[in-house]
Amino acid sequence: MNLSSIKISANFVLWIIASLVTAIFIYRLLFFSSDSFVFFLINDSLSILLLLVLTAYLIKTLAQKKPHPSALVLNIGIICAFIFLVIMFAENILNIQFQNISAKLVQQGMFENLLNTFYGLMFLGISSYWFASLKELYFYKQYRRKNTYFITMSVFIALSSISNLLFSATEYEFIYNTFLIISIILISFNALKISWIAFISKKEKISLLILSIIISALFILNLINNGKTDFNGTILMNYSPTIYQFFNLILLYGGIYFVVLFFTTLFHIPTAEAYDRKANEVSSLQYFSKLITQVLDIEELSETITDITTKVSSADAAWIVIKENGDRKILANRNIALVDADLINRFLLESGICENITETKICSLQKFGNKSQLSEKFGSIAISPLRSYNEIKGYLIAARKNELIFYDEDKTAINTFSDYASVAIENSLLLEQSIEKERLEKELDVAREIQKKILPAKDPEFEHLSITSVFIPAFEVGGDYYDFFEISNNKFGFIIADVSGKGISAAFIMAEVKGIFSSLSRMIESPRDILIKANEILQQTLNKKNFVSALYGIIDFENEIVRFARAGHCPALLVRGNSVETFKPSGIGLGLTNQDLFSNHLEEIKIDLKQNDTLVFYTDGITEAKNKEFEDFGERRFAEILIEYSNESVNKIANEVIKDVTLFSRNHSQYDDITLVILKWHKKNNIDGVKEWQNSTPQLKTKVL
Amino acid sequence: MAEFNTSIKNQGAVSIINLKGYLDAHTAPILENNFVDLIEKSCYQIVVDFKDLAYISSAGLGVFMAYIEKIRDSKGDIKLSGMSDKVYNIFDLLGFPLLYEIFKSEDEAVKKFTEIK
């Protein structure tokens, strides 16, 4: 909406300009008379109107475009050069075309009239453009937009121009002269306002210096060549005395303005470099403070830091080196080969010159012995510590090539900057660590969740066999697994296993092991055969590094026996009366070796069960639980507890064992999963009193594959 | 957990890796790298000396399994020596004595290699 309305109004203004131009042409064709004052009054009124509208339009257009001052200056200059050529050669060219043009212009024919009007309008347009451009320059980077002076000057320029028509060469010429003098004073005063020069770069200042002197010379030459008796002056006076005067005043303004600009620039040049550097510093710090909150990627951040460092310190190369596990790591290297950076690092940090600096230090590579090995001739180094909590985490290093060396002013810039860099890098590293930590914790959560789902939710219950199980997971899932299987009405299978490794990979192997044993236990009724089959499967599927220790057993309720085989797992313990018997039949861990070797060395043990026989199965989390002195809980301590509570219920025994292990290792974190399964045999009185454990353990049914 | 490091020395054609400290899931990659380096250099006669090893976890044991096949295929072997009773127990439970030759001392293990030749 807004845009289109602007467009319409801009078009409208163009329409007005076009109509005014047409009106001037027609009016001049119809009524031209070089003596008539009334003719010029109306003619100049139209021209002034056109000038006002056109200038307002150009000012608005320029304000919207916001051109760079250097571009404006260049445009002014080009047009000025063009006008210079026009003024110089117009008479000659026109004389070739029309003999004695000067005389003809006074007594105009229709064609000369048109030509004169066109010529005058061109100068009107150009002076209007100059005025608009000079106004734009006047207000560029003026923070206090006090335009009183400029408006006053404009008013007097206008008055002076009109008075050229009204009072010049009359008895009231003093009025014309007064306005002219005031205008010149105001123009000179306003031409001093050149605040924008401070804001352009050194390079631009140098080109501006040359441009401004040329342009000012052109303006002044144009002014000199545009006297009332000169050819060009005659034509313009003939077109409109007001416009003639306006054009001259603008030429004057331009001439003075560019002379002043030349000298201002000249005096700014010595400080231009310092200003450039400060401006660079400020802009990079602004850029950088944004980065601190934005950058999540340490590599990207380092790249940016080195990039800005080269800019801030005008260095040829920059790199960041950080200390990591007693080693040095280059995070980013800009304009320098890694090998070179490495060589210089070694020189700076191992010779002891720069190891413990507290602020930026400038070092020369003069004494660097391996200088010839560098692929480029770096000569001067500025090294800054990257600190966090008073500890040096790394260094930001800038280097200059050849004979260029760093000075103290560079030092302050780099020093300020490296402080920001320290904070940013520290933030980024901390963020990276916490993301990694969170990821690991999530992973372990998943692993624990899997393990929890794999292990039986409830212990089965039997008339002649009481069962308890305790499982305490370690922080990093340890891979312990145990399970119970219904085999037939009078047989019950159980397994206890430990998967090698930890975390999510161990959890996945556990899941596989559970699948294998759930199905094998229903097909095979011999612990030894089940383990042999399990080894065959695991040998194929497991990674070479992984293996599973397992102990599989079957309780035969009818014959009152337990049979089990051990594949690399902790021994089984039998508590009978006041003694503990350890059963460690031969057997290699699952997945470690081929079928022949495995089955040749796998023993199966059969024990006849007696009243109150207690069978204890466990994982190494119990016997290898550590105390502060890094001693193992061990088998002896384990056995003592079992004997002490041998007459108690399975739950009581398990509780006491766990209590003791926990107490023993209270000053040491639990490193491995702890699993304890205890079975206690109650002598059968009648042979038919069979169990009902299916009903009491619903999860066992659903688990059957 | 606690620290772990290894050192390698050569005795004739036999490379001896000395283990020191605690070998578990976190430190196992150090030993893995040793094996990879030796295999790269075609050193297939390896003795691993355990006399300074305080503890080994299942992940530590896994490292030996990862490379043994390749080494034996190249007519080499990994022989183990100098285990404390505690460490030996861990190996024994898993049946490692059936898979690896375990010697009391480093010298015996090295000698076994040279005898074969």
Side-chain angles (χ1 to χ4, degrees):
Chain A
M1 282 301 282
N2 218 356
L3 267 176
S4 62
S5 69
I6 288 170
K7 215 171 180 178
I8 289 165
S9 74
N11 278 338
F12 183 62
V13 173
L14 286 177
W15 269 111
I16 293 178
I17 292 169
S19 344
L20 278 170
V21 169
T22 321
I24 289 169
F25 267 110
I26 294 170
Y27 174 75
R28 287 180 64 90
L29 273 181
L30 294 180
F31 303 107
F32 181 78
S33 154
S34 60
D35 310 324
S36 164
F37 178 70
V38 181
F39 164 79
F40 275 110
L41 200 62
I42 296 171
N43 173 70
D44 281 27
S45 303
L46 282 173
S47 294
I48 290 166
L49 196 59
L50 175 62
L51 185 69
L52 282 175
V53 176
L54 186 63
T55 310
Y57 174 74
L58 287 173
I59 286 174
K60 199 179 164 192
T61 316
L62 280 179
Q64 272 171 4
K65 278 187 186 165
K66 288 195 176 38
H68 191 272
S70 304
L72 272 179
V73 168
L74 195 64
N75 285 348
I76 293 174
I78 291 168
I79 294 171
C80 197
F82 169 69
I83 291 299
F84 177 75
L85 294 176
V86 170
I87 292 176
M88 288 294 284
F89 300 112
E91 187 175 11
N92 295 338
I93 294 171
L94 289 175
N95 264 337
I96 297 165
Q97 219 57 28
F98 317 96
Q99 278 78 38
N100 198 9
I101 182 82
S102 310
K104 278 188 182 165
L105 281 172
V106 184
Q107 290 300 318
Q108 285 181 329
M110 194 177 83
F111 186 76
E112 286 82 5
N113 195 338
L114 273 177
L115 191 73
N116 193 351
T117 309
F118 179 78
Y119 199 91
L121 284 173
M122 181 177 80
F123 277 80
L124 184 149
I126 284 167
S127 50
S128 169
Y129 176 79
W130 276 341
F131 182 80
S133 299
L134 287 168
K135 181 195 172 274
E136 185 67 22
L137 283 177
Y138 180 87
F139 286 108
Y140 191 80
K141 293 277 183 186
Q142 283 261 34
Y143 291 118
R144 281 174 296 138
R145 296 183 73 94
K146 267 183 80 177
N147 48 13
T148 335
Y149 297 123
F150 195 82
I151 289 176
T152 317
M153 180 192 74
S154 309
V155 168
F156 275 93
I157 288 178
L159 288 173
S160 170
S161 305
I162 297 166
S163 68
N164 186 36
L165 169 71
L166 300 177
F167 307 117
S168 152
T170 66
E171 54 191 306
Y172 300 107
E173 185 149 4
F174 68 93
I175 299 179
Y176 161 75
N177 288 334
T178 315
F179 283 142
L180 182 62
I181 290 164
I182 297 174
S183 294
I184 291 171
I185 293 170
L186 283 170
I187 283 173
S188 312
F189 177 74
N190 275 315
L192 295 172
K193 298 261 169 157
I194 306 182
S195 46
W196 52 270
I197 191 74
F199 296 93
I200 59 174
S201 71
K202 187 186 176 188
K203 223 172 111 187
E204 286 171 314
K205 277 175 190 154
I206 290 171
S207 66
L208 197 62
L209 193 68
I210 300 161
L211 266 181
S212 61
I213 191 66
I214 296 173
I215 295 173
S216 71
L218 285 172
F219 267 113
I220 292 166
L221 283 174
N222 284 343
L223 185 61
I224 293 168
N225 289 334
N226 196 33
K228 281 184 184 172
T229 50
D230 290 322
F231 174 74
N232 197 67
T234 320
I235 299 183
L236 282 185
M237 277 299 279
N238 220 0
Y239 168 71
S240 152
T242 312
I243 298 304
Y244 167 79
Q245 187 64 12
F246 181 73
F247 182 69
N248 269 354
L249 287 170
I250 296 298
L251 285 179
L252 181 69
Y253 187 9
I256 298 174
Y257 187 84
F258 283 97
V259 168
V260 175
L261 183 63
F262 171 74
F263 285 106
T264 319
T265 317
L266 192 65
F267 296 133
H268 264 97
I269 291 248
T271 54
E273 196 165 356
Y275 177 82
D276 276 8
R277 194 165 42 222
K278 278 276 173 275
N280 239 336
E281 248 174 70
V282 170
S283 65
S284 28
L285 287 183
Q286 281 170 346
Y287 181 39
F288 206 70
S289 55
K290 261 186 220 157
L291 272 182
I292 289 176
T293 54
Q294 281 175 353
V295 171
L296 292 174
D297 183 350
I298 180 77
E299 278 177 29
E300 202 181 302
L301 176 71
S302 317
E303 292 291 338
T304 316
I305 290 172
T306 49
D307 180 28
I308 299 174
T309 306
T310 51
K311 283 181 188 153
V312 166
S313 62
S314 323
D316 294 305
W319 64 100
I320 295 174
V321 56
I322 56 162
K323 295 177 176 174
E324 203 178 60
N325 304 327
D327 221 15
R328 281 192 299 266
K329 189 178 154 198
I330 294 176
L331 277 187
N333 52 317
R334 187 157 202 94
N335 301 336
I336 182 168
L338 269 180
V339 198
D340 285 1
D342 222 37
L343 276 172
I344 297 175
N345 286 344
R346 222 174 291 161
F347 169 67
L348 294 175
L349 303 175
E350 284 170 15
S351 60
I353 358 176
C354 300
E355 188 102 52
N356 294 311
I357 44 174
T358 52
E359 52 160 35
T360 304
K361 186 177 172 182
I362 294 167
C363 300
S364 162
L365 288 184
Q366 290 299 327
K367 291 175 193 158
F368 180 30
N370 293 330
K371 206 179 169 188
S372 54
Q373 289 180 23
L374 295 178
S375 56
E376 286 175 288
K377 284 182 185 166
F378 292 102
S380 187
I381 299 285
I383 175 168
S384 320
L386 299 171
R387 276 168 304 183
S388 81
Y389 308 110
N390 287 328
E391 190 192 340
I392 297 178
K393 287 276 164 86
Y395 304 90
L396 174 64
I397 304 168
R400 281 187 182 170
K401 272 189 230 172
N402 304 326
E403 301 309 312
L404 290 168
I405 58 167
F406 284 107
Y407 295 101
D408 280 352
E409 302 93 86
D410 303 311
K411 200 162 119 177
T412 9
I414 301 175
N415 205 30
T416 323
F417 187 69
S418 70
D419 284 348
Y420 276 83
S422 301
V423 177
I425 290 177
E426 177 71 7
N427 281 352
S428 188
L429 286 176
L430 282 176
L431 192 69
E432 206 171 57
Q433 278 170 13
S434 72
I435 289 171
E436 174 67 9
K437 204 175 144 203
E438 201 169 301
R439 192 185 65 77
L440 281 177
E441 270 168 21
K442 281 264 154 59
E443 196 184 292
L444 285 176
D445 281 346
V446 173
R448 273 190 290 266
E449 196 60 29
I450 295 173
Q451 192 175 32
K452 209 171 121 192
K453 293 218 167 98
I454 286 172
L455 298 177
K458 210 172 158 190
D459 300 323
E461 287 169 26
F462 300 100
E463 197 183 341
H464 301 291
L465 185 73
S466 41
I467 299 175
T468 193
S469 63
V470 182
F471 168 73
I472 307 171
F475 173 71
E476 293 180 274
V477 173
D480 276 14
Y481 163 64
Y482 69 96
D483 216 342
F484 306 113
F485 307 104
E486 170 195 15
I487 296 172
S488 63
N489 271 351
N490 47 28
K491 275 182 186 152
F492 155 72
F494 57 91
I495 183 175
I496 182 162
D498 188 354
V499 169
S500 76
K502 289 190 182 298
I504 200 124
S505 64
F508 278 119
I509 299 174
M510 277 172 66
E512 187 187 352
V513 169
K514 183 188 174 81
I516 292 170
F517 281 96
S518 305
S519 42
L520 290 182
S521 64
R522 292 194 299 153
M523 299 190 292
I524 304 170
E525 281 197 17
S526 144
R528 185 172 177 272
D529 291 348
I530 284 185
L531 288 175
I532 289 171
K533 194 73 194 162
N535 183 62
E536 188 186 335
I537 299 169
L538 287 170
Q539 170 76 9
Q540 286 162 12
T541 58
L542 284 187
N543 186 303
K544 278 182 205 156
K545 268 191 259 184
N546 291 321
F547 53 85
V548 179
S549 75
L551 188 152
Y552 186 90
I554 294 173
I555 302 271
D556 184 338
F557 290 104
E558 198 180 331
N559 299 314
E560 301 185 26
I561 50 168
V562 60
R563 284 182 291 133
F564 62 87
R566 185 190 71 92
H569 198 76
C570 297
L573 304 177
L574 171 66
V575 189
R576 182 176 279 176
N578 272 333
S579 68
V580 174
E581 203 175 334
T582 303
F583 290 91
K584 201 181 118 188
S586 155
I588 303 170
L590 299 171
L592 281 175
T593 183
N594 59 40
Q595 282 302 84
D596 287 349
L597 196 61
F598 183 84
S599 56
N600 286 343
H601 289 96
L602 191 63
E603 271 182 80
E604 185 176 298
I605 279 185
K606 188 184 97 176
I607 301 170
D608 290 314
L609 293 169
K610 293 185 176 164
Q611 172 67 12
N612 283 337
D613 272 0
T614 308
L615 287 161
V616 180
F617 307 97
Y618 62 96
T619 55
D620 55 8
I622 289 183
T623 46
E624 286 183 20
K626 305 267 191 288
N627 68 3
K628 203 165 57 182
E629 281 77 41
F630 220 74
E631 288 169 336
D632 285 352
F633 183 73
E635 275 138 39
R636 195 180 48 80
R637 251 179 283 253
F638 191 17
E640 279 167 10
I641 307 252
L642 292 176
I643 292 169
E644 192 181 339
Y645 296 95
S646 59
N647 291 322
E648 303 286 344
S649 71
V650 283
N651 286 329
K652 173 81 176 166
I653 299 170
N655 283 342
E656 290 302 326
V657 171
I658 295 303
K659 211 164 83 186
D660 231 47
V661 171
T662 317
L663 209 64
F664 179 82
S665 59
R666 67 186 176 280
N667 290 319
H668 198 277
S669 61
Q670 185 194 338
Y671 184 60
D672 203 355
D673 290 352
I674 287 175
T675 306
L676 178 64
V677 176
I678 302 179
L679 314 178
K680 195 162 196 159
W681 181 254
H682 308 290
K683 182 82 178 156
K684 271 202 305 188
N685 293 324
N686 71 32
I687 216 130
D688 301 319
V690 200
K691 58 267 143 195
E692 304 152 5
W693 64 290
Q694 299 95 316
N695 301 332
S696 58
T697 55
Q699 91 281 0
L700 282 174
K701 280 182 191 163
T702 55
K703 181 172 67 183
V704 173
L705 295 171
Chain B
M1 225 192 154
E3 276 185 39
F4 171 78
N5 57 60
T6 64
S7 59
I8 302 179
K9 59 180 177 184
N10 291 309
Q11 200 166 319
V14 184
S15 305
I16 304 162
I17 307 178
N18 187 272
L19 310 181
K20 192 170 183 178
Y22 305 88
L23 179 54
D24 59 23
H26 301 287
T27 57
I30 302 175
L31 181 58
E32 270 177 48
N33 287 340
N34 287 160
F35 279 120
V36 171
D37 287 349
L38 288 175
I39 290 169
E40 240 170 50
K41 286 188 248 165
S42 302
C43 300
Y44 299 116
Q45 301 194 323
I46 301 167
V47 172
V48 181
D49 184 47
F50 286 77
K51 70 173 181 292
D52 296 321
L53 188 83
Y55 169 82
I56 186 165
S57 79
S58 60
L61 293 163
V63 179
F64 296 96
M65 297 315 299
Y67 300 101
I68 188 66
E69 204 173 296
K70 180 153 194 184
I71 289 173
R72 286 191 179 150
D73 286 349
S74 313
K75 304 265 182 286
D77 197 12
I78 301 176
K79 296 189 197 297
L80 315 175
S81 75
M83 289 180 192
S84 66
D85 287 350
K86 205 166 99 183
V87 173
Y88 181 80
N89 268 337
I90 296 169
F91 276 88
D92 184 44
L93 268 184
L94 273 163
F96 267 57
L98 297 166
L99 308 172
Y100 293 88
E101 282 188 284
I102 301 178
F103 298 89
K104 280 226 162 55
S105 73
E106 191 185 298
D107 289 342
E108 282 175 60
V110 175
K111 216 163 116 194
K112 188 67 192 277
F113 271 121
T114 42
E115 266 173 21
I116 296 166
K117 280 186 175 175

